Amino acid sequence: MSNKQQLWTEGVLIDFNVRFWSGQKKIKPSEIGVNEDRLPDVIAKLVLCPNKYVKSFACIRMKGYHAIERVSLSFPVGGARFVPARAIANVITELEKYKLEFDAMVESLLSEYRTLKARCVADYEAQLPRLADYFPTLDDLRTRFSFDWAFFEFHVPQWSQMNDKFIAEAVVRDEARFQYKQQLQRIVTDFSARAAREMRERFLDHLSKIVERVKSGKSIDARQTVGFELTLDRIEAINILDDETINKAIAEVKLELRHGGSYSKDDPAGMQRLAKVLDSAVAVVEDQEGAVKAAEKFNRRIDLE
């Protein structure tokens, strides 16, 4: 019985897109009948949407990206992110929260839109008598905002089920399928290598922060140890390669943090014990051979059919 499994039993890809109206309009001198040197900068780059809204939409978009990046891995196709199955529900919950925030901001802008438009037109009436033409209608404005995501996966096509008018000859069909499968294998191989590196980089980044505190003799309170444990939980969640050396290192760090609770220079034995565990974890993370082995093991158990 084969132990191979589908890549998509491990997780799915996510495509995340946010659009919003920035209200930026570059005015051409010919549009208002003046020479370019007489066009004031404030008019040449007119901002029709208040900056508070533009900043808010950009901030919400960034929070959405961060929510995905915290629990996903980069995937070598179209800038997509690979979300492990165990993290999908949490990602949806986070994104739905930010979508509500985004939609509320859209409604706030729409409710103010007529007033904002009238004020802007009045302010620039002398320089731009046709300024009102640059504003979209209220219905059109609503279509310029979206906060959407979609999960997806892809497979080797089942061309044997296609109509002959699409692929006329079986030989051509089989060769095309073989070539597609080869490309998919390269994508998965690239993905697993990236995942092994990315997971280690994240682990090392967080280890470095606590190692720096220990080496400088700074105290680590219970709140900080709990926060670090939560970070380690997120790293475990993206360990779809089932990298045993990383799992073991994380488990040992967690065990020490739970045992110690908090650390200070008044407890040199505890600080030394923590430093020893952290140094051991850093050595594991920096072992590139371990990363290669984990990626190769992952590739062997993935079935591309």
Side-chain angles (χ1 to χ4, degrees):
M1 186 174 182
S2 174
N3 291 322
K4 285 183 174 289
Q5 62 190 81
Q6 289 285 332
L7 174 63
W8 312 116
T9 61
E10 300 285 350
V12 292
L13 300 177
I14 185 170
D15 181 43
F16 176 60
N17 289 290
V18 177
R19 294 187 305 112
F20 59 89
W21 184 58
S22 66
Q24 295 183 353
K25 172 66 179 177
K26 187 173 182 180
I27 307 297
K28 297 178 181 178
S30 59
E31 291 181 286
I32 57 175
V34 300
N35 295 326
E36 188 166 355
D37 58 357
R38 293 185 56 196
L39 189 65
D41 288 341
V42 69
I43 300 296
K45 297 178 181 178
L46 194 61
V47 178
L48 306 178
C49 182
N51 200 38
K52 68 173 183 177
Y53 283 110
V54 176
K55 285 185 176 180
S56 294
F57 289 128
C59 180
I60 298 170
R61 176 177 60 186
M62 189 57 64
K63 287 192 286 189
Y65 279 123
H66 285 167
I68 294 170
E69 289 176 354
R70 278 196 300 269
V71 295
S72 66
L73 297 159
S74 61
F75 197 81
V77 172
R81 303 285 300 182
F82 186 93
V83 182
R86 70 191 83 174
I88 293 173
N90 288 338
V91 167
I92 292 174
T93 299
E94 286 274 294
L95 292 179
E96 286 180 339
K97 178 178 69 175
Y98 296 134
K99 179 173 174 55
L100 287 174
E101 187 179 349
F102 184 88
D103 290 345
M105 192 61 60
V106 172
E107 293 304 319
S108 176
L109 172 59
L110 292 176
S111 68
E112 287 189 64
Y113 185 59
R114 287 190 176 89
T115 302
L116 293 170
K117 176 180 176 180
R119 186 184 306 152
C120 189
V121 169
D123 288 344
Y124 295 101
E125 186 174 12
Q127 300 101 322
L128 288 170
R130 292 176 45 238
L131 179 58
D133 297 340
Y134 295 111
F135 283 87
T137 65
L138 200 59
D139 288 339
D140 181 44
L141 181 59
R142 187 180 289 276
T143 67
R144 301 191 184 193
F145 296 90
S146 65
F147 186 104
D148 301 305
W149 64 91
F151 293 105
F152 66 98
E153 56 189 54
F154 55 84
H155 302 268
V156 175
Q158 299 300 310
W159 282 329
S160 60
Q161 300 173 14
M162 283 188 176
N163 190 297
D164 286 344
K165 70 178 181 180
F166 294 109
I167 298 179
E169 298 180 17
V171 174
V172 174
R173 179 193 65 209
D174 292 343
E175 176 61 22
R177 189 172 187 277
F178 174 77
Q179 293 295 337
Y180 184 91
K181 186 175 179 180
Q182 290 290 99
Q183 170 148 2
L184 186 54
Q185 181 64 68
R186 287 193 292 270
I187 289 172
V188 171
T189 300
D190 186 10
F191 167 63
S192 62
R194 289 188 187 195
R197 291 194 305 270
E198 187 174 341
M199 189 168 54
R200 278 170 159 72
E201 287 168 1
R202 290 195 196 184
F203 192 13
L204 183 59
D205 179 56
H206 292 293
L207 280 174
S208 299
K209 293 173 184 176
I210 194 168
V211 166
E212 184 180 347
R213 291 192 67 86
V214 171
K215 289 185 175 179
S216 61
K218 294 180 180 178
S219 297
I220 300 172
D221 60 31
R223 180 184 58 82
Q224 290 170 318
T225 59
V226 170
F228 188 53
E229 276 195 66
L230 292 175
T231 299
L232 295 179
D233 287 343
R234 286 197 293 268
I235 295 172
E236 280 186 309
I238 64 171
N239 187 12
I240 64 166
L241 304 187
D242 196 23
D243 189 331
E244 295 173 359
T245 56
I246 290 293
N247 283 338
K248 183 179 179 181
I250 290 176
E252 289 175 351
V253 173
K254 278 185 173 182
L255 183 63
E256 171 54 40
L257 292 174
R258 289 169 185 167
H259 172 74
S262 61
Y263 304 84
S264 72
K265 59 184 179 182
D266 296 330
D267 178 21
M271 293 287 273
Q272 289 174 6
R273 191 178 62 245
L274 177 60
K276 183 177 179 180
V277 172
L278 293 174
D279 286 342
S280 176
V282 169
V284 169
V285 173
E286 292 180 338
D287 176 19
Q288 295 305 311
E289 185 178 345
V292 172
K293 287 181 179 178
E296 290 175 346
K297 180 182 175 182
F298 178 80
N299 294 337
R300 287 195 295 271
R301 67 182 170 89
I302 293 300
D303 184 2
L304 298 179
E305 293 296 337

